[in-house]
């Protein structure tokens, strides 16, 4: 049986833009636009995503997927970057309104 105090210390508070509408970047279809809310940087792979420019509040567009779904090409910060599906799953995004695309 768990002690009541264990649940208080299970996860430290970490302020971020993550909310209930955020989804993994890997789940978006080609042509979708989104804004990065959070990146799981708990591993060296996650730190590398931050170095590549996947920072909170960055706007991203899904360009295309390979025929078998891996890798996925993204347009951000003036260039294209391809990520594996497992890497893109570490990035949480909020999909932007398609009507705002002009």
């Amino acid at each position: 049986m768990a002690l009541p105090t264990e649940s208080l210390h299970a996860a430290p508070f970490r302020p971020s833009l993550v909310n209930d509408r955020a989804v993994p970047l890997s789940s978006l279809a080609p042509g979708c636009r989104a804004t990065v809310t959070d990146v799981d940087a708990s591993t060296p792979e996650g730190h590398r995503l931050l170095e590549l420019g996947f920072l909170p509040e960055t706007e991203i567009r899904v360009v295309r997927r390979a025929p078998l779904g891996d890798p996925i090409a993204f347009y951000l910060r003036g260039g294209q970057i391809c990520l594996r599906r497992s890497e893109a799953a570490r990035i949480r995004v909020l999909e932007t309104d398609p009507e705002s695309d002009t």
Side-chain angles (χ1 to χ4, degrees):
M1 184 166 108
L3 297 174
T5 56
E6 288 179 8
S7 63
L8 296 175
H9 304 289
F13 175 73
R14 187 176 64 138
S16 69
L17 300 173
V18 175
N19 66 24
D20 58 343
R21 296 182 312 145
V23 296
L25 181 58
S26 59
S27 69
L28 297 182
C32 290
R33 294 176 184 263
T35 302
V36 174
T37 59
D38 193 32
V39 177
D40 176 12
S42 61
T43 64
E45 183 180 74
H47 284 282
R48 183 69 177 143
L49 292 171
L50 293 172
E51 292 171 355
L52 287 170
F54 291 92
L55 300 169
E57 300 185 19
T58 300
E59 294 183 11
I60 295 178
R61 181 172 45 97
V62 182
V63 177
R64 71 178 70 94
R65 288 180 181 264
L68 296 177
D70 207 16
I72 308 167
F74 302 99
Y75 182 81
L76 75 148
R77 298 181 180 270
Q80 277 191 355
I81 296 179
C82 291
L83 298 178
R84 294 182 186 102
R85 214 175 351 189
S86 62
E87 295 167 334
R90 294 179 169 278
I91 303 166
R92 308 254 326 150
V93 297
L94 285 176
E95 194 168 356
T96 57
D97 250 350
E99 297 153 3
S100 66
D101 298 342
T102 52

